[in-house]
Amino acid sequence: MQAALEDFFRALRAADVRVSPAEAIDAHRTVEVVGFADRELFRDALCATLAKSGEEVARFEAVFDTFFDRRSDAVTPAPPPGGTGGGPMEGLPPEARESELARMLLAGDGAALAQTMEAAAERAEVSRIRLSTQRARLTRRLLEEMGVSEIERILAAARRLGGPGEAAADRLEAARKALAAQASAYVERQHELYAAGSGKMLREEMLARKALNAEGGIDPVDLAMMQALVKRMAKRLADRYSRRRNVAWTGHLDVRRTLRKSMGYGGMPFDIVFKTKKVDKPSIVAICDVSKSVAAAAQFLLTFLYSLNEVVDRLDAFAFSGRLISVNKVLDDHPVETAILEVLKQIGFQQTDYGKALEDFADQHMDRIDRHTTVILLGDARTNYANPRLDILATIQQRSRAVIWLNPEPDSYWSQGDSVMNRYERFCHVAKTCNTLEQLERIIEDVLRTYIPH
């Protein structure tokens, strides 16, 4: 049963029910206690162990009913032989009597056939199915593992012989067709269990690597999926880092707290207390170019940052094309998905001027930066040959914890035309190409990781 439980855990994960290794161990221990005889008790015990929310309970129950419904595996028995004679194999070629599968089909032994199908499915690795296009191939492989090729040879030989074997051949043919239909249903059920979300997952993997500044923009359907994907990425990071607010300072004894606890034991230090370091939440200032070439990347960056509420202590967001404005109020009043459009109404369609934007920031918002602040700049650094105001970026670098520049263009473009990225790069702690959601997630996680002491 252990292998079946592991397959069940895989099916749950495919249905977006998280099952950690520790939870899998707990589930095995639970099954050891409650057993399998009482189906309801077995299901409820596993559900209490593995499902963590109302949504996961619903998905768990759907997967459980599909996975453990063995009625769908029952194989239709062959029609009984008509009249009297020498048995169900009367008239068939001699090799039919040597075929175990032929015997089970003609005897109508549904339980044995179901068991044989399970074993054949394991050899054919049917549970590894990921795409709907694999169903026909895996169905044939399952039947081959069961020995259907041998049945087809027996049928061909019986048709050539003719005579009294025709009736038995008809019954065997009917049973073979029923077996094929059942194998197809079995594979379909495995697809439902293990691959129902695989098409969506493959689509999301592709979108995570899609260029954000692609010519022609992003298709509205893809945009909606990417918005949902970036929020899920942010939630994953929030879950990972929001729990790590205190980290043990290994090897450093907290004498005062240890002595205080020992007073309850007559001065004996039974409870040893070590010092801890409190993990600061990140303070982030985001300055985004929202000109046409990088507006999509800015939208996803702001969506990502605004979805990190549990992790980020303070977020100040600014946008510019020509002049720079604070967009905190816009983001508070509008969904992030439409906030960029509101920002463009205020500052869009201006000639991009990085130097002027930095001047506006220095004049109005420089006090938002201190040694706890990470500054994230997003843009292609194309200044239209205006003064880039490197001096202001140098001041920002000196006042902040870190300056990170995310450029949607590859670094081979950073010194071409009106791009001054190679000059700005000197005043950045990190300067990286960031043109996909996958790259964005990796960089934001690097930022969060810097706030965790080692």
Side-chain angles (χ1 to χ4, degrees), residues 208 212 226 230-231 233-234 237 296-305 308 376 378 404 406 432-447:
L212 301 179
M226 292 169 77
V230 79
K231 288 180 180 179
M233 288 175 170
L237 291 185
Q299 180 176 343
F300 287 117
L301 172 63
L302 293 175
T303 300
F304 211 124
L305 295 177
L308 290 172
I376 301 177
L378 175 72
I404 298 172
L406 309 181
K432 289 187 175 181
T433 295
C434 182
N435 192 28
T436 67
L437 297 184
E438 193 173 58
Q439 292 171 336
L440 180 59
E441 179 185 27
R442 192 178 306 124
I443 292 168
I444 297 301
E445 180 167 18
D446 288 343
V447 171

Side-chain angles (χ1 to χ4, degrees), residues 68-363:
F68 289 104
D69 184 8
R70 295 305 181 190
R71 290 173 299 176
S72 59
D73 293 341
V75 178
T76 304
T84 59
M89 292 194 181
E90 178 68 24
L92 290 177
E95 55 263 36
R97 290 167 175 76
E98 301 174 3
S99 170
E100 185 65 19
L101 180 60
R103 184 198 63 76
M104 288 188 289
L105 287 172
L106 290 171
D109 193 345
L113 283 167
Q115 201 170 32
T116 301
M117 184 175 289
E118 287 282 354
E122 186 173 346
R123 294 193 299 273
E125 297 185 328
V126 175
S127 65
R128 299 293 176 184
I129 188 170
R130 289 294 174 268
L131 303 172
S132 59
T133 53
Q134 295 176 292
R135 287 180 295 189
R137 179 170 58 84
L138 285 174
T139 298
R140 183 61 195 182
R141 185 188 297 178
L142 171 58
L143 290 169
E144 293 284 355
E145 289 290 343
M146 292 189 73
V148 77
S149 295
E150 186 180 32
I151 300 299
E152 290 168 350
R153 288 193 295 271
I154 292 170
L155 286 170
R159 299 302 185 195
R160 287 195 300 270
L161 290 173
E166 286 288 342
D170 288 342
R171 293 195 304 275
L172 185 58
E173 173 66 14
R176 186 198 65 80
K177 288 181 178 179
L179 180 67
Q182 191 58 40
S184 179
Y186 182 95
V187 172
E188 176 63 33
R189 192 166 70 91
Q190 301 305 298
H191 179 268
E192 180 182 345
L193 281 170
Y194 299 111
S198 62
K200 182 181 178 183
M201 290 171 61
L202 288 172
R203 181 68 174 163
E204 289 181 346
E205 288 176 8
M206 184 196 73
L207 292 175
R209 295 189 290 270
K210 183 181 180 67
L212 301 179
N213 61 346
E215 284 189 30
I218 300 174
D219 181 88
V221 176
D222 288 348
L223 182 63
M225 289 189 68
M226 292 169 77
Q227 288 286 1
L229 178 59
V230 79
K231 288 180 180 179
R232 197 153 61 249
M233 288 175 170
K235 185 179 187 307
R236 184 163 60 241
L237 291 185
D239 289 344
R240 185 177 304 164
Y241 289 96
S242 62
R243 294 190 294 268
R244 300 171 66 178
R245 297 267 61 87
N246 289 280
V247 177
W249 199 356
T250 307
H252 291 74
L253 179 67
D254 190 326
V255 176
R256 181 173 56 83
R257 292 175 63 197
T258 300
L259 290 176
R260 184 184 301 154
K261 281 184 171 288
S262 70
M263 294 175 66
Y265 305 104
M268 297 297 293
F270 284 112
D271 292 332
I272 306 299
V273 182
F274 289 93
K275 293 181 179 180
T276 61
K277 291 181 180 179
K278 186 176 181 180
V279 179
D280 293 329
K281 288 186 176 182
S283 294
I284 295 176
V285 168
I287 303 174
C288 302
D289 179 356
V290 292
S291 60
K292 183 178 180 181
S293 58
V294 290
Q299 180 176 343
F300 287 117
L301 172 63
L302 293 175
T303 300
F304 211 124
L305 295 177
Y306 262 76
S307 300
L308 290 172
N309 295 331
E310 301 173 25
V311 180
V312 176
D313 180 47
R314 175 174 58 87
L315 171 63
D316 291 308
F318 303 90
F320 70 93
S321 54
R323 306 306 296 261
L324 176 139
I325 63 169
S326 171
V327 296
N328 281 359
K329 188 174 189 312
V330 177
L331 289 164
D332 289 339
D333 294 343
H334 298 85
V336 182
E337 296 85 345
T338 60
I340 292 295
L341 296 177
E342 295 299 321
V343 172
L344 289 175
K345 289 179 183 178
Q346 299 182 37
I347 60 170
F349 311 108
Q350 301 176 9
Q351 186 174 16
T352 307
D353 190 334
Y354 278 75
K356 185 61 68 176
L358 288 172
E359 287 177 11
D360 290 343
F361 182 83
D363 292 342

Side-chain angles (χ1 to χ4, degrees), residues 12-90:
L12 287 174
R13 294 184 185 109
D16 205 21
V17 177
R18 292 169 296 166
V19 180
S20 68
E23 289 167 342
I25 292 172
D26 289 342
H28 280 290
R29 290 173 176 168
T30 299
V31 171
E32 288 177 2
V33 173
V34 302
F36 314 105
D38 188 326
R39 180 186 171 91
E40 294 298 318
L41 178 62
F42 174 58
R43 182 185 64 184
D44 292 345
L46 279 180
C47 185
T49 305
L50 299 174
K52 278 80 70 180
S53 67
E55 290 182 357
E56 287 196 355
V57 168
R59 289 195 289 268
F60 173 93
E61 291 179 347
V63 172
F64 183 94
D65 289 342
T66 302
F67 187 90
F68 289 104
D69 184 8
R70 295 305 181 190
R71 290 173 299 176
S72 59
D73 293 341
V75 178
T76 304
T84 59
M89 292 194 181
E90 178 68 24

Side-chain angles (χ1 to χ4, degrees), residues 355-376:
K356 185 61 68 176
L358 288 172
E359 287 177 11
D360 290 343
F361 182 83
D363 292 342
Q364 304 169 33
H365 309 290
M366 189 66 84
D367 61 345
R368 304 303 294 167
I369 298 178
D370 57 31
R371 297 302 296 174
H372 300 287
T373 307
T374 296
V375 179
I376 301 177

